[in-house]
Amino acid sequence: MQSLRVLALCAASAAAVEYRNPVLAGDCPDPGVVYDPAADMYYMVNTGRLTIRQSPNLVNWTESGKSYYPALPAWTAPGYLWAPEVHKVNATHYAVMFTTPYAQNVTGVPVAAKGQLSVGIGHSTSASGPFTDLGRPIVADAVYGSIDQSFFRDPKTGRNYLMWKRDSETPTQPSTPIYIQEVTQGADALVGERKVMIQDDQVWEQVPAGGLSNIEAPWMVYNNATGYYYLFYSGGMFDGPYYNVGVARATSPMGNWTKFSGPILHTRWGAPYVVGAATDFYGPGHPSILQRPCGTWAMVYHAWGKNKGGGRHVMADTIVWKEGWPRVVSDTPSFELTEMHTCAEQ
């Protein structure tokens, strides 16, 4: 494990800022983080709020004074806003996407989808908005809810993809696959057919108390150094110690995907894990994966404080690469004084 830390601290062209998790205390679940090169700034959006936070280094976060929407669109259900993310969709535009119930009939959307959790999207020329809503959900299923959407623009081909989880973890429908489907260059419509990326089929993805399993919160990146696409995701149930971060890799965004042998970020409290070192945080998940302009990598995610004190805090840790796979330096949320690389010139 020490070798991973040495690799992280020796990344070329990167200075470092000292910090201690959490980087943002308080209930700030589902951090969606994007880097804006024009402003040299990171922006973060979270479940339950329309306002945007900003940071120059992923460690020091402040309110930006901006909101991505002045209010939720008319087709959505008041008070529901889950897992928003902002992504760059082409050379000139960004998109904000989020989960909310489809509450008002809109032309072109199945009437039977009304009431289901659906995926909304809005567009802007700025990463910090404001965004103009599409006016309808981009994903609305008449049978299942669709949640935890994410976006990937393939740097090799320029093609755009939308990912989301089918929300169906019940005793009669226990599977919760993650889907992928191509979207237009303007990210305003789905193209072709959706495809299952991965299923919940690993022991660590199970929820011991309920006999169910669950995967969600996809985030895809491409690593030019390894030649692989990587799908980060969360497994287990979000409100307990069995919530962890896993990863799969493939040579194409459409798969086929091979999962890593276990979670790459976890807290190892109780079965099925051997009890590990003490930590001030548990249930890490819902990560955003960032490659900084100088090439170093980081994961921003949330985790519960002990006894759920303060809700889900925003955490940040360095990602290193070992034998073609991403790893968090300590495998668990860091809680001691550590360093986050910046791209400042040394």
Side-chain angles (χ1 to χ4, degrees), residues 173-232:
Q173 187 62 252
S175 178
T176 60
I178 292 176
Y179 291 128
I180 186 171
Q181 190 166 348
E182 190 172 353
V183 294
T184 59
Q185 285 296 295
D188 55 5
L190 297 172
V191 177
E193 299 294 326
R194 69 186 183 188
K195 181 180 179 180
V196 173
M197 301 181 78
I198 55 174
Q199 298 268 15
D200 43 339
D201 54 11
Q202 304 294 303
V203 172
W204 70 266
E205 298 162 358
Q206 295 176 358
V207 183
L212 305 175
S213 58
N214 177 55
I215 55 174
E216 59 189 21
W219 187 290
M220 196 193 308
V221 300
Y222 176 73
N223 187 342
N224 190 60
T226 66
Y228 281 104
Y229 298 85
Y230 294 87
L231 177 66
F232 294 78

Side-chain angles (χ1 to χ4, degrees), residues 12-101:
S13 303
V17 57
E18 286 191 335
Y19 76 102
R20 191 189 305 271
N21 272 320
V23 295
L24 186 62
D27 196 26
C28 310
D30 306 330
V33 181
V34 64
Y35 175 69
D36 179 7
D40 191 23
M41 189 69 64
Y42 297 93
Y43 296 109
M44 177 170 61
V45 290
N46 300 86
T47 285
R49 68 194 321 257
L50 295 171
T51 51
I52 302 171
R53 295 183 174 98
Q54 64 184 25
S55 171
N57 53 20
L58 299 178
V59 171
N60 306 116
W61 291 95
T62 59
E63 296 289 348
S64 69
K66 301 177 180 180
S67 299
Y68 58 88
Y69 283 160
L72 282 176
W75 63 266
T76 68
Y80 285 87
L81 174 66
W82 293 356
E85 294 180 3
V86 175
H87 293 271
K88 192 167 188 178
V89 299
N90 56 43
T92 59
H93 283 75
Y94 291 83
V96 64
M97 49 206 71
F98 53 92
T99 298
T100 188

Side-chain angles (χ1 to χ4, degrees), residues 1-10 260 263-266 268 276-277 317-323 325-334 336 338:
M1 195 60 63
Q2 183 65 26
S3 62
L4 293 183
R5 185 170 296 277
V6 171
L7 285 172
L9 297 179
C10 292
F260 189 63
I264 63 169
L265 182 66
H266 55 89
R268 298 184 293 187
D317 279 303
T318 296
I319 291 175
V320 296
W321 298 85
K322 184 178 181 181
E323 299 177 349
W325 290 98
R327 303 292 297 276
V328 177
V329 171
S330 62
D331 293 335
T332 61
S334 65
E336 298 177 339
T338 187

